[in-house]
Amino acid sequence: MKNNRFKLTALAGSLLLASGALHAQSDEARAIAERLVDEHFQNSTLSREEQIEELLWFAKVAEPFRDMEINTVAEGLTTHVWERDVLAPAFEELTGIQVTHNIIGEGDVVDNMQTQMQTGRNIYDAYVNDSDAIGTHIRYGTTINLSEAMENEWADYTLPTLDLDDFIGLQYGTGPDGNIYQLPDQQFANLYWFRYDWFQREDLQEQFREIYGYDLGVPTNWTAYEDIAEFFTEHVGEIDGEQVYGHMDYGRRDPSLGWRFHDSWLSMAGMGSPGVPFGNPVDDWGIRVDEESRPVGASVSRGGATNSPASVFAVTKMVEWLDKYAPPEAQGMTFGEAGPVPAQGNIAQQIFWYTAFTADMTDPGLPVTDDEGNPKWRMAPSPTGPYWEEGMKVGYQDVGSWTFFDSTPEDRRTAAWLFAQFAVSKSVSLEKLMAGLTPIRESDIFSDQMTELAPKLGGLVEFYRSPNESNWTPSSTNVPDYPRMAPLWWQNLAPAVSGEITPQEALDNLAGELDNIMSRLARANVFESYPPMLNEERDPEEWLSQEGSPKAKLDDEMPQGTTVPYDEMMEEWMAAGTRQ
């Protein structure tokens, strides 16, 4: 009896020690959470206590993975650098999981992802991969179905406050089956950029009206964009002693030239089908699918539109504007080299401008900001081409999204899932937005902090608050193998940009190669779902004479130019946004 009492006393002592250790651990976690909120994450749509509770959830569920080291990867955007420098150390301190958040080139991200999918060798434990690859992820059977994982193996590791309904780009990482395969981490759009201060000058307004017969303003069609490009390049020529240009672009034979085209340039001209987000049955690459989401062709002869009259018009205008209205050096530039040029102060407008450059445009020392740091420029909706019709997507949106593969060991994959959720949680997402200006949550976009920042950001906040924002979308589920097919764009269209072949010849080559790859993939039987099943080739006129895309050549591809005053347009957008 005495011995039993001793054992019970020892057990009680052990339990007391364990309880004390847990309390101490809990107190330590709370202290860390409080300090992280106060030092790094003061801006949030959550209250301070709600943030602390959310961070404590991460500390608690991460216990089985403490002292683990994981590797994640993303491309070199300001947002991802902030994740590496701020979020990864904060997550390690909170959870004990050491994250190496690698920053590499976008092409390298895609190459590593493709290698991991093909070989089954784990290279990274999670990827921030553009949702442009959604068509790849839904077909190969190697990408983790997040919807299923959150209900099963990740049921205990999914943040209760993740709030999927709050994400603005979730639909782009969702398959035709309704399942989520990619979770948005950052998002930016391709918009129209222009020098608001120049457009407001009465002398320039009067001169433009005399020459073109209508008002200088935000162009709503490609004719007006061309008129404005010509006006500043040939008629204005010089402002404040510096030569100015009415257009900016880039044309070097480089992988980034592919982005210039397949990031919805053809659909901006009106090549595809109505239907948001991607166009159905013909998407913004010109790839047609059947009713079962199987790709049936890119060539007009198979019902696609990659080499259709609308596409030829789009490429022709790109080449013509680059040659006539952009700085001569632009033809030898890549995406990265051309991006900072408008900030130098001699560009009047750019039809194809990524909002990822917004942060770089707001430095008070730049020629495009005033003494108080306010922008002399604005961003606005992109003008659409003559083939565009109501109900079509208007432009492109890049949505870098967390993506996981079954080749990653389950424990490492789960730890990476925790970090991914931390990187998009409401506790940190507003601070991340303010650092990188790449929003993913509606609650952040409508926050008081973004309302205060709006005047400094030249229309970014107004754009994302408008319900029209959803008309800017990424590449579609129609693209069956993005890593293999994306390089075909720059390889085939570069000769057209340099003038070696015509746009029609370049697009015929591109459409043919897209079809060839889809045909080979179908024969190889590599897809678990939605495999290509190409239509037999027919006389292109049979398809062009039917309703819808591919569309027959218009008699007048350059109708009267139309513009709208920027302030009037933004008032309408803001009114629409506040009604949400």
Side-chain angles (χ1 to χ4, degrees):
M1 192 70 158
K2 181 179 178 181
N3 194 41
N4 287 340
R5 283 201 303 273
F6 176 78
K7 288 180 178 179
L8 288 171
T9 303
L11 178 62
S14 298
L15 290 171
L16 191 62
L17 286 172
S19 176
L22 287 173
H23 278 301
Q25 193 175 36
S26 176
D27 290 343
E28 181 184 2
R30 175 168 284 275
I32 291 172
E34 289 178 348
R35 186 175 54 74
L36 289 175
V37 168
D38 293 339
E39 289 186 7
H40 297 296
F41 312 129
Q42 292 183 12
N43 290 293
S44 172
T45 57
L46 301 181
S47 68
R48 181 175 182 273
E49 188 56 38
E50 287 172 333
Q51 285 180 277
I52 292 168
E53 289 303 313
E54 189 171 72
L55 297 187
L56 287 175
W57 179 88
F58 284 103
K60 179 180 179 182
V61 300
E63 274 301 317
F65 311 101
R66 184 167 287 276
D67 299 324
M68 179 179 283
E69 297 180 8
I70 61 172
N71 287 284
T72 58
V73 69
E75 63 176 293
L77 295 177
T78 302
T79 295
H80 299 316
V81 172
W82 190 84
E83 291 170 340
R84 180 194 65 191
D85 296 345
V86 177
L87 292 188
F91 185 73
E92 180 179 357
E93 187 175 1
L94 185 66
T95 65
I97 300 171
Q98 181 180 334
V99 180
T100 301
H101 193 47
N102 297 272
I103 305 298
I104 62 178
E106 181 182 7
D108 295 325
V109 173
V110 174
D111 288 345
N112 280 284
M113 180 191 80
Q114 185 179 29
T115 299
Q116 181 157 341
M117 292 178 71
Q118 290 176 343
T119 65
R121 177 170 61 90
N122 188 52
I123 302 174
Y124 294 104
D125 302 311
Y127 292 75
V128 181
N129 167 234
D130 286 354
S131 71
D132 296 303
I134 181 62
T136 311
H137 295 308
I138 64 174
R139 288 181 170 88
Y140 274 97
T142 60
T143 303
I144 297 298
N145 181 324
L146 300 184
S147 295
E148 292 182 355
M150 286 187 283
E151 292 182 358
N152 295 288
E153 63 264 34
W154 286 346
D156 295 332
Y157 298 102
T158 296
L159 182 64
T161 52
L162 186 59
D163 192 3
L164 292 175
D165 291 339
D166 193 40
F167 284 83
I168 61 173
L170 198 66
Q171 66 271 37
Y172 309 135
T174 300
D177 57 3
N179 287 312
I180 301 165
Y181 291 83
Q182 298 180 275
L183 184 70
D185 180 74
Q186 52 83 6
Q187 189 162 328
F188 58 89
N190 208 319
L191 298 178
Y192 171 75
W193 179 97
F194 72 107
R195 284 293 298 269
Y196 177 77
D197 57 337
W198 292 354
F199 279 47
Q200 293 297 104
R201 281 180 45 169
E202 291 185 5
D203 59 332
L204 296 181
Q205 290 178 349
E206 183 178 344
Q207 186 182 1
F208 184 87
R209 194 177 300 109
E210 287 177 358
I211 297 172
Y212 299 99
Y214 61 100
D215 292 337
L216 176 63
V218 175
T220 59
N221 63 9
W222 285 21
T223 305
Y225 183 84
E226 180 171 296
D227 287 345
I228 296 169
E230 178 187 74
F231 174 68
F232 278 99
T233 306
E234 298 182 3
H235 297 285
V236 177
E238 187 177 291
I239 294 179
D240 298 330
E242 183 176 11
Q243 186 173 2
V244 299
Y245 297 91
H247 174 63
M248 183 60 201
D249 210 333
Y250 62 97
R252 184 174 174 179
R253 191 182 299 242
D254 175 83
S256 66
L257 187 62
W259 314 340
R260 173 62 185 80
F261 288 104
H262 63 60
D263 285 4
S264 303
W265 181 243
L266 306 187
S267 69
M268 287 170 64
M271 170 271 295
S273 299
V276 175
F278 304 125
N280 186 35
V282 179
D283 73 351
D284 58 345
W285 281 39
I287 297 174
R288 189 183 198 92
V289 292
D290 63 16
E291 293 180 353
E292 297 179 29
S293 298
R294 296 176 301 195
V296 296
S299 299
V300 174
S301 58
R302 301 185 192 273
T306 305
N307 57 336
S308 66
S311 302
V312 173
F313 171 80
V315 175
T316 299
K317 283 302 171 187
M318 182 275 174
V319 175
E320 182 182 324
W321 294 342
L322 178 65
D323 178 58
K324 288 185 175 181
Y325 308 124
E329 59 271 21
Q331 298 196 32
M333 287 183 170
T334 64
F335 168 81
E337 293 163 343
V341 171
Q344 296 170 8
N346 66 334
I347 305 297
Q349 60 171 0
Q350 185 168 335
I351 189 173
F352 201 79
W353 181 80
Y354 290 89
T355 62
F357 292 117
T358 304
D360 299 328
M361 285 277 191
T362 58
D363 188 322
L366 291 173
V368 293
T369 55
D370 64 21
D371 294 338
E372 297 178 357
N374 296 308
K376 298 177 182 178
W377 53 268
R378 298 290 187 273
M379 62 185 78
S382 313
T384 52
Y387 293 88
W388 190 87
E389 56 191 295
E390 200 64 42
M392 291 182 63
K393 66 182 289 184
V394 179
Y396 175 78
Q397 192 139 207
D398 184 293
V399 186
S401 304
W402 287 103
T403 311
F404 305 83
F405 296 107
D406 59 9
S407 51
T408 302
E410 187 173 351
D411 58 342
R412 299 178 67 85
R413 193 167 68 226
T414 303
W417 169 241
L418 291 177
F419 177 64
Q421 293 177 95
F422 179 73
V424 302
S425 66
K426 291 183 179 179
S427 288
V428 311
S429 62
L430 182 53
E431 284 284 0
K432 186 169 81 169
L433 169 57
M434 295 172 72
L437 302 179
T438 54
I440 53 168
R441 287 188 176 275
E442 185 173 312
S443 56
D444 291 337
I445 293 164
F446 282 89
S447 66
D448 292 340
Q449 289 90 334
M450 294 310 292
T451 297
E452 186 176 341
L453 270 178
K456 302 286 188 183
L457 301 181
L460 181 73
V461 175
E462 291 85 344
F463 170 74
Y464 274 104
R465 285 183 175 181
S466 168
N468 295 322
E469 170 270 334
S470 60
N471 292 326
W472 278 254
T473 72
S475 299
S476 84
T477 52
N478 295 17
V479 183
D481 193 319
Y482 186 90
R484 279 190 175 92
M485 298 170 74
L488 299 178
W489 286 78
W490 73 270
Q491 292 165 4
N492 283 285
L493 294 182
V497 176
S498 61
E500 298 166 44
I501 61 176
T502 68
Q504 181 71 70
E505 290 170 327
L507 287 164
D508 287 344
N509 294 338
L510 172 62
E513 289 202 28
L514 291 173
D515 284 346
N516 286 338
I517 279 196
M518 290 191 286
S519 179
R520 291 204 305 273
L521 290 170
R523 288 197 303 271
N525 198 28
V526 295
F527 296 127
E528 288 201 357
S529 56
Y530 315 112
M533 188 171 288
L534 296 190
N535 287 331
E536 292 295 326
E537 290 197 86
R538 293 157 49 182
D539 182 344
E541 289 303 319
E542 291 186 37
W543 286 102
L544 294 171
S545 63
Q546 297 180 19
E547 287 292 317
S549 183
K551 303 165 186 176
K553 182 177 173 62
L554 292 171
D555 293 333
D556 182 9
E557 293 181 317
M558 295 293 283
Q560 172 64 39
T562 54
T563 59
V564 62
Y566 173 81
D567 296 320
E568 177 184 313
M569 179 189 65
M570 276 296 131
E571 283 179 14
E572 294 177 3
W573 275 55
M574 287 298 287
T578 54
R579 287 196 296 270
Q580 285 197 354

